[in-house]
Structures are given as C-alpha cells and as structure tokens.
Amino acid sequence: MIPYGKQDISDADIAAVVEVLKSDFLTQGPAVPAFEQAIRNQCGADHAVVVNSATSALHLACLALGVGHGSLVWTSPVTFVASANCALYCGADVDFVDIDPHTYNLSVEQLAEKLAAAERDGCLPDVVIPVHLAGQSCDMRAIHRLSQRYGFRIIEDASHAIGADYEGRPVGSCDFSDIVVFSFHPVKIVTTGEGGCAVTRSSELAAAMELLRSHGITRDAEKMTCAPDGGWYYQQIALGFNYRMTEIQAALGISQMQRLSAFVARRRQLASQYMTMLEHLPVTLPYQADHSASAWHLFIIRLHEQYEKNKASIFDELRRSGIGVNLHYIPVHTQPYYQQRGFCLGDFPEAEHYYRQAISIPMFHAMTDEQQLQVVTVLERVLQ
Ligand SMILES: *Cc1c(COP(=O)(O)O)cnc(C)c1O
C-alpha cells in the first residue's frame, strides 16, 4: 500500500537519537532548548515552546490567552478535532466558521459576516483559530484586520504548515497572530514521533506556556511568593500539566529540522507533478492562493458532483488497488460529541459539501515518481 503520508527517517536521525540515549539526559536536558532554537531560526519568532503534542500546544496556547469558562473560541469545521477540543478543555464554548469553497480554509467572508452578527448579538469570540489546511496558509492579513476591528486574539493551527510561506515570510513568524502551533506527529512534515510546539513573539505568553507545560512549577526566585527556603526549593504557582517533550524526541526533531527545506521542496515538486498528471480527470485540484506557498502536508482532490453517491466504493477500490487514500476531515461539528453539544447537520454547508467529495491521495517526502505514476494510473482506471 502506498500510504497517504509517511515519515522519512535518515541514518543521521537515528544517530542523533542514539547519541541522546547514551547521554546523561533523557528529559529536561539540552536537546529541547536546541530544538526550540532550530524552530525559532526557521520561523523568525522570538519564542518557541516545545511540548509533547500539538494538542497540548493548542491547550496551552488557549490557557495563555486567558481562555476559560465563559470564553468563546471559533475555528474551522474542516480540521482535526484537536483544533476545537482545546477550547473545551479550558471550559470555553466553541463555534465554527464555514470554509472557503476554493482553499477549504476558514472563509474570511463568512468570518466577517459572523463577526458582524455576533457584535449585534453581543457574543463576539475571544479567540479565533484559523487552520492552515494541507499546508496552505489562511489569509492571515485579512483575519488579523478583523481581529483589530472586533478585538479577538489569534492562534494559528499550523500543524500542517511548518516550512510554508505566507506573503513571502515563513508560517510561524507571528506577523498576524499571537501564537502559532506546529505538530510533529509522524504524518506531518517534520516528526518527533509525537510532539508539538507553540511559537510567539510575546515573552509573557511564552513564559505562561513554559510554566504550564511543567506542572505550573517554577524554580525562578523572581516568580516566587517568598524567598526560597534553600537550593532544593521550587514553588507551584499555577495548575499546570506534564506536557514536556523528551530529549529523545527533541534530538530527532533537531535532525529532522535540518532537512525541512528538502522535505518541502520534494513535496512541492510532487504537487506540481500531480497538477499536470491529474488535469484530465474529473476531479478538482487544490487551489493555491497567490499569497501563500504551501508546505503540501496533504494533497486533497475533490471528486466531481456525479461521483458523490459512489464515493465510498471509489475510496474502497483505491485502497484495494494499493493506494492508501484518506479523508481530511470529517467536519468536526458532525461528530457525535459535537452533535450532543447542539450542532446540527446543515450548520456549515460548505464544509459538508467538501466532505462529500474530498479524498487525500498519497503525498510524502520519500514518495518516488514511480509510486506517483501508480497513484495516477489507478485513479484513471477507478474514475473511468
Ligand atoms: C495533527 C493535527 C493536530 C494535532 O496534532 P498532535 O501533534 O497529533 O496532537 C491538530 N490540528 C491539526 C490541524 C492537525 O492536523
């Protein structure tokens, strides 16, 4: 089976992990700060807080921005459930903004309309979480402009988008947001096995997230309520978590970051080849906005309307033929848990329309041209 996504582990990656295993620290050593430095170098943001998953990073980002009971967070319905769950962890409410029919990202027009209505009804969101689906940035300049008009904070869920650019600057620069979150799950662009990171320009937000990732415990005398009793002393000054990343994971991350530009370059090449190879098929190819250069975490095609009713059998036939297709994503508001919270089918029609047509086809760094040709050949046959 040609998978839809897969990590690429080099001998250098393995050597870096082995080196840490032989060192003094398996956690809380020098590799985590070195990995954070590598991410800062990539993004050009001042602070990077590495944690054990993007889900944890989203949770900490919400907490750092003061999300809690009575807060309201908006995100896209076409995302992994974690983009919405992070607000619920904090006791906040979640709502969604329907997607743009071309980019499949949260629609700026829908956002503007929903904000105007929310202002009239007195229920503006505190935080909006745009998700850079498949690695293509949302229109952050426009979303930022709306945040200034309506006074909400922004967390970019860039789980798919490390290595992508927006207006010629790297995603993660925080030019138009408070915090940007990356995932290092094995199917994403860069992996640490499990892992995530929150980057920000704000030293206050970074300090809040650093505190909460390690139990809310500080060893910094400046932050304590009284002078330390002695050299052993620490204080818990907030209710935090154990969201730390291990040294083993960070060593893998440092080594992987050295190949980020090669990873993204190959993905871009595969994407541009797909664009030509699939042109004649009855599918909609991924639209690329002028403002962004995708990192191509995913290659999502949409079957034309007449195939909708046969989509499940087309999907199964592709899998039977050795093509590891997938679907990103089942709209979050249609999940039973969210239906129990009051969301209904029909609430976000563009997302639901997308769901009836979308299929992710294989896209990963080590994919060969031969494998790509095989994907195209099978698609041609199945869509005949
Ligand atoms: C993968 C993913 C997450 C969660 O990442 P983890 O590192 O697995 O916790 C969140 N949001 C999006 C959009 C993702 O694709």
Side-chain angles (χ1 to χ4, degrees), residues 24 125 170 189 262 282 285 290 310 328 331:
D24 290 337
I189 311 259
L285 296 173
D290 291 337
N310 296 327
H328 301 91

Side-chain angles (χ1 to χ4, degrees), residues 52-58 78-83 131-133 157-160 181-185 187-188 194-196 297-298 328-329:
N52 59 357
S53 73
T55 304
S56 302
L58 286 163
V78 174
T79 185
F80 187 56
V81 290
S83 316
V131 181
H132 305 324
L133 189 74
D157 184 344
S159 291
H160 300 179
V181 167
F182 297 120
S183 172
F184 306 122
H185 181 278
V187 297
K188 310 286 163 75
E194 295 278 3
H297 162 54
L298 299 171
H328 301 91
Y329 291 92

Side-chain angles (χ1 to χ4, degrees), residues 12-325:
D13 292 341
I14 293 167
V17 169
V18 170
E19 201 178 316
V20 158
L21 287 171
K22 292 177 179 169
S23 78
D24 290 337
F25 295 98
L26 297 187
T27 188
Q28 294 177 288
V32 163
F35 184 33
E36 290 173 337
Q37 179 65 53
I39 295 165
R40 284 200 297 275
N41 293 348
Q42 159 62 27
C43 300
D46 300 323
H47 306 276
V49 181
V50 152
V51 288
N52 59 357
S53 73
T55 304
S56 302
L58 286 163
H59 185 194
L60 295 188
C62 285
L63 289 173
L65 289 173
V67 172
H69 289 278
S71 305
L72 178 58
V73 174
W74 289 2
T75 188
S76 170
V78 174
T79 185
F80 187 56
V81 290
S83 316
N85 289 345
C86 58
L88 301 184
Y89 295 157
C90 304
D93 267 323
V94 174
D95 200 357
F96 302 93
V97 180
D98 209 353
I99 61 166
D100 178 279
H102 303 291
T103 63
Y104 320 144
N105 281 331
L106 171 154
S107 156
V108 173
E109 289 72 32
Q110 295 281 335
L111 176 62
E113 278 178 31
K114 197 174 170 102
L115 285 165
E119 188 177 49
R120 285 193 300 274
D121 300 341
C123 56
L124 283 166
D126 300 285
V127 173
V128 173
I129 308 182
V131 181
H132 305 324
L133 189 74
Q136 173 171 231
S137 177
C138 297
D139 187 355
M140 291 311 302
R141 181 179 290 279
I143 295 169
H144 181 251
R145 202 178 297 126
L146 289 168
S147 77
Q148 294 188 308
R149 161 87 172 74
Y150 292 99
F152 57 84
R153 313 292 291 271
I154 301 174
I155 302 169
E156 295 175 60
D157 184 344
S159 291
H160 300 179
I162 196 163
D165 295 313
Y166 173 73
E167 293 190 351
R169 304 243 306 148
V171 167
S173 64
C174 302
D175 287 338
F176 300 107
S177 63
D178 296 288
I179 299 172
V180 180
V181 167
F182 297 120
S183 172
F184 306 122
H185 181 278
V187 297
K188 310 286 163 75
I189 311 259
V190 159
T191 191
T192 58
E194 295 278 3
C197 182
V199 297
T200 180
R201 286 186 181 177
S202 155
S203 47
E204 288 77 26
L205 292 176
M209 293 189 287
E210 276 166 13
L211 185 69
L212 293 174
R213 89 171 146 188
S214 200
H215 308 281
I217 280 174
T218 185
R219 292 178 184 279
D220 178 353
E222 305 254 300
K223 296 201 176 98
M224 292 182 189
T225 56
C226 60
D229 287 348
W232 63 86
Y233 198 65
Y234 61 82
Q235 277 189 346
Q236 185 191 341
I237 56 173
L239 183 61
F241 310 88
N242 182 351
Y243 281 173
R244 293 188 305 259
M245 174 179 277
T246 68
E247 293 286 289
I248 306 163
Q249 292 167 305
L252 179 55
I254 296 164
S255 184
Q256 287 261 304
M257 281 301 282
Q258 289 169 8
R259 294 197 290 149
L260 175 61
S261 57
F263 286 162
V264 173
R266 176 60 179 159
R267 287 171 179 274
R268 286 181 177 158
Q269 183 182 33
L270 286 165
S272 104
Q273 289 172 185
Y274 264 144
M275 291 291 197
T276 329
M277 295 166 94
L278 298 174
E279 213 171 29
H280 63 291
L281 290 181
V283 299
T284 303
L285 296 173
Y287 168 84
Q288 295 301 292
D290 291 337
H291 58 58
S292 65
S294 181
W296 292 103
H297 162 54
L298 299 171
F299 197 92
I300 299 169
I301 59 174
R302 276 175 79 156
L303 304 180
H304 286 174
E305 203 110 356
Q306 72 264 28
Y307 294 93
E308 276 183 20
K309 58 184 182 308
N310 296 327
K311 182 173 160 187
S313 57
I314 291 170
F315 190 93
D316 290 345
E317 179 57 23
L318 289 168
R319 285 235 176 131
R320 264 198 304 278
S321 309
I323 311 301
V325 285

